[in-house]
Amino acid sequence: MKKVALSVAIALAVAGSWAFYPNTAPVPTGYLMVVGSGRPGNESYVPEIVTIQPDGKQQVQRLTNVKASSDRSTTDVAVALHHAELLQVNKLATQGWRLVSVAQSTVGVGATTETVYMMERR
């Protein structure tokens, strides 16, 4: 009876220790993009940050709290947008993503300014 109880105790200890075993789920590799988009001088436009995962999934974060409301509205919106981009890039860096490059461009007729942050995980 002692051998059975000892065997059961050891089996339970082994089964319980698996709960603390590190997760071996595959970590996504490849490139991730963070795109900050804003249209200076247009009060009706809401700036946004789009995060594109390596598998193509997109997450859009609209910055509805950023309003163009003064003479310095263009500067205020640009600073608020860059602040939100920085927060997103820092958040991803804590998750193991590393910044590879940054590019900025003006796109389209309405002069939408985009900043693209390319990140990778190895």
Side-chain angles (χ1 to χ4, degrees):
M1 185 66 175
K2 286 184 179 182
K3 287 184 181 181
V4 172
L6 181 61
S7 297
V8 169
I10 290 174
L12 287 173
V14 169
S17 68
W18 283 340
F20 298 103
Y21 193 73
N23 187 3
T24 58
V27 176
T29 58
Y31 292 96
L32 175 140
M33 285 181 17
V34 176
V35 181
S37 176
R39 186 175 298 156
N42 187 344
E43 294 184 18
S44 64
Y45 183 75
V46 177
E48 61 187 20
I49 296 176
V50 179
T51 304
I52 304 170
Q53 299 290 333
D55 62 1
K57 293 181 183 173
Q58 294 184 14
Q59 173 192 0
V60 178
Q61 176 187 1
R62 295 179 57 85
L63 305 174
T64 57
N65 60 337
V66 177
K67 302 282 186 210
S69 61
S70 68
D71 294 338
R72 292 180 32 122
S73 64
T74 301
T75 303
D76 293 343
V77 170
V79 168
L81 177 60
H82 290 314
H83 180 258
E85 292 166 352
L86 178 65
L87 291 175
Q88 181 68 9
V89 167
N90 285 339
K91 177 180 144 188
L92 291 166
T94 62
Q95 297 173 5
W97 292 97
R98 184 175 68 91
L99 187 62
V100 175
S101 70
V102 179
Q104 191 170 35
S105 64
T106 303
V107 180
V109 178
T112 301
T113 301
E114 292 183 346
T115 306
V116 179
Y117 300 85
M118 185 72 72
M119 304 181 83
E120 75 175 337
R121 180 185 282 171
R122 292 184 180 185

